[in-house]
Amino acid sequence: VLYVDAENVPQIINQRAEWWQIDRKKLFLMLPDADDILDLGKSKYQDKLYKMVAVINPGVIIIDSLSTISTKGESAVEDVRNILAFLSGIARGFNVPVLLIHHIKKRSLPGMKSVFVELDLEDLRGSSHIVAIGRTIIGIWQVQTTPDADDGPRKMAVLKSNLGAKPKALGFEMKPLHPAGVTIQWLDSPPEAYRSPTRIDECAEWLLGYLAEMGEPVKPNDVLRAATLQGFSRSTVYRARNALKDAITDTGPSPHAPNNAWKISDVEK
């Protein structure tokens, strides 16, 4: 791996590599010259990267990050276009993937922190040329899974792909290491965002509890009478029943049969 460290924090990168048990003999850093800023808009740093790629023949090049490899910033259209064209030429000429790390805009929804907002291509900072030239764009963001979460699991999803169909999203958490550090723990499925319970959600929870408490099938009219006492309308009860799907089954030959009753399904039990 050839890691272009424009942020110039080799100690941190070395520490993370140690935590994650990376073979540091296979990790090569490109750093700015002493008392200088790494700017891939300058020919001397383009030449330096070109020579390192030619000598190392890396399996992947990581650029960290777009906002720091140009002194003019990610919004300077011509500068960004020239840098991305150079990196694209490196990828094509040496047949090596280039992973360019980029940051997102700060935005939020009412009652939700910006880190928890579902990402799309409009959230990328800077010139639209960044989105246009990328073959694949992968977004990573935190997911708010509880009402008062300050941190949360991460979701990784392909936002753009010119190489084929978008794969399913992934999920992971940052877990502490002993005695120090953090690592990635992959989840079985991407995390689901928390949403405030609706009236239908509350009714569904009550309905399951009510049928479990009764311990036997209950006719729909009797369920409706009990639900009215809890403040749930007829339409809310039936919408909750539909939302529960196979968790509740009918005992009669049809939902409208005179002898039909509702019970918790054997699967739910």
Side-chain angles (χ1 to χ4, degrees), residues 208-218:
L208 285 175
Y210 173 75
L211 293 176
E213 183 181 349
M214 296 303 291
E216 60 183 14
V218 182

Side-chain angles (χ1 to χ4, degrees), residues 17-223:
E18 193 173 12
W19 287 341
W20 300 342
Q21 299 179 347
I22 292 173
D23 185 354
R24 284 172 287 172
K25 289 182 292 185
K26 296 182 179 180
L27 178 62
F28 298 87
L29 298 185
M30 176 177 163
L31 300 170
D33 296 340
D35 300 322
D36 195 11
I37 296 175
L38 198 158
D39 186 349
L40 283 179
K42 295 180 178 179
S43 58
K44 74 169 184 177
Y45 284 114
Q46 290 185 1
D47 292 343
K48 183 175 183 178
L49 178 59
Y50 189 94
K51 291 175 182 177
M52 289 186 73
V53 175
V55 172
I56 297 168
N57 188 28
V60 64
I61 301 169
I62 300 175
I63 311 292
D64 189 8
S65 60
L66 178 58
S67 62
T68 53
I69 60 170
S70 170
T71 54
K72 296 181 181 179
E74 68 266 27
S75 297
V77 177
E78 288 301 321
D79 201 51
V80 167
R81 181 180 287 116
N82 291 336
I83 289 175
L84 294 183
F86 166 71
L87 292 176
S88 181
I90 289 283
R92 185 171 55 254
F94 289 94
N95 193 28
V96 57
V98 176
L99 177 62
L100 178 60
I101 298 173
H102 189 40
H103 300 290
I104 61 172
K105 301 173 185 175
K106 296 295 184 182
R107 73 175 178 90
S108 62
L109 298 176
M112 185 177 292
K113 298 179 180 179
S114 61
V115 291
F116 294 128
V117 176
E118 187 97 359
L119 294 188
D120 58 38
L121 294 176
E122 297 297 323
D123 292 309
L124 271 68
R125 289 190 344 204
S127 168
S128 60
H129 193 69
I130 300 167
V131 174
I133 200 170
R135 296 291 179 261
T136 301
I137 297 178
I138 302 171
I140 300 176
W141 65 97
Q142 292 181 357
V143 178
Q144 183 176 3
T145 54
T146 60
D148 53 354
D150 288 325
D151 196 2
R154 273 69 168 174
K155 184 175 180 180
M156 176 188 289
V158 174
L159 306 181
K160 173 190 172 181
S161 175
N162 287 351
L163 307 177
K166 294 179 182 178
K168 293 181 179 179
L170 302 175
F172 65 90
E173 292 181 309
M174 306 301 294
K175 291 293 185 180
L177 289 172
H178 182 76
V182 293
T183 190
I184 289 176
Q185 178 177 308
W186 293 99
L187 304 174
D188 294 334
S189 59
E192 294 290 335
Y194 169 82
R195 62 178 180 85
S196 300
T198 65
R199 189 64 172 161
I200 295 173
D201 294 330
E202 294 172 355
C203 184
E205 183 179 358
W206 169 85
L207 183 55
L208 285 175
Y210 173 75
L211 293 176
E213 183 181 349
M214 296 303 291
E216 60 183 14
V218 182
K219 290 186 176 182
N221 285 338
D222 293 334
V223 173

